[in-house]
Amino acid sequence: MNGGFPSLVYRDSVSLPLNQFYPYIKCALCCGFLIDATTITECLHTFCKCCIVRHFFCSNRCPTCNIVVHQTQPLYNIRPDRQLQDIVYKMVPFLEDLEREQMVKFYKERGLEVPKASAALSPPTPVPAKKQKKDAPRQQVFTVPPELDVSLLLEFVGAESGIDDYKPLERRYVRVSGEATIRHVELFIRRKMELTSSCQVDVVCGDQLLDHYQSLNDVQKVVGADAVQDGLLVLHFGLVLPS
């Protein structure tokens, strides 16, 4: 044992303490063991899924090497690394059970149904394929990550006289984390509309002008039912000149 963790023993009787592998099995963002290991395809650096998703709300660069992952959508260039996650679980035996316990606790505290791991892992019942459908392409299903739990509708209400150098916002519907702040929304709008620092983005929900530090979860609580329409959190924004 080394610091409470087992050593790794090979056939030639060489024992290696687990902490020698920390640079490869720990997340550089939270400094904990990797959970839902997720790799950036551009540079192959790996982090916990929730850590790297949260990081990309305020940056489009890799936290380790600082390369630009994607100019506008860095989440497009990350992939789950299940092989590395399996290795982490084998090297740290208690980790998988602890993570499962925390997941169950999370769902139960919120009165939600706990996902059945067995159902997710069980293979589908084989169905005899018809000859004419043998070469039919498989249908791809996109699953929204659970941390992206808020659907936004961004409504542009106009720009103050004197502001005319901007592109239209083509992507009005966005799915983001409820922990994202109005500042993150503003940065998204600035990037998509290619705004300069000479104009200010005012964001309104209901009849309230929102502050940069407010999270989307806070906005829904403060504004109430008026904030949501058809399951979408509606934010109106306008471009004004700094006062």
Side-chain angles (χ1 to χ4, degrees), residues 80-115:
D81 194 333
R82 296 184 179 89
Q83 186 174 12
L84 177 57
Q85 189 61 59
D86 288 342
I87 292 172
V88 174
Y89 282 152
K90 289 177 181 177
M91 296 180 74
V92 190
F94 66 85
L95 186 63
E96 186 172 11
D97 291 337
L98 178 62
E99 183 64 19
R100 185 177 295 111
E101 289 174 6
Q102 290 179 343
M103 182 191 73
V104 171
K105 181 180 178 183
F106 174 88
Y107 279 91
K108 286 186 175 180
E109 285 178 348
R110 289 156 177 80
L112 303 173
E113 183 180 355
V114 179

Side-chain angles (χ1 to χ4, degrees), residues 35-65:
I35 298 295
D36 289 334
T38 301
T39 298
I40 298 174
T41 58
E42 300 301 295
C43 59
L44 301 183
H45 289 122
T46 304
F47 310 88
C48 298
K49 181 179 179 179
C50 63
C51 293
I52 193 61
V53 169
R54 189 180 301 118
H55 170 80
F56 282 150
F57 279 125
C58 55
S59 174
N60 64 350
R61 294 180 176 271
C62 170
T64 298
C65 64

Side-chain angles (χ1 to χ4, degrees), residues 174-227:
V174 189
R175 191 156 180 108
V176 298
S177 167
E179 298 301 317
T181 65
I182 297 304
R183 176 60 175 165
H184 294 133
V185 175
E186 179 194 340
L187 291 174
F188 173 81
I189 292 170
R190 284 187 174 278
R191 183 175 297 166
K192 289 298 183 181
M193 299 182 70
E194 298 184 2
L195 302 177
T196 66
S197 57
S198 62
C199 70
Q200 176 179 313
V201 180
D202 281 353
V203 183
V204 176
C205 186
D207 58 357
Q208 296 194 30
L209 179 64
L210 304 177
D211 292 314
H212 286 167
Y213 64 83
Q214 289 180 278
S215 72
L216 299 179
N217 285 336
D218 291 337
V219 171
Q220 293 185 81
K221 291 176 184 177
V222 172
V223 180
D226 292 339

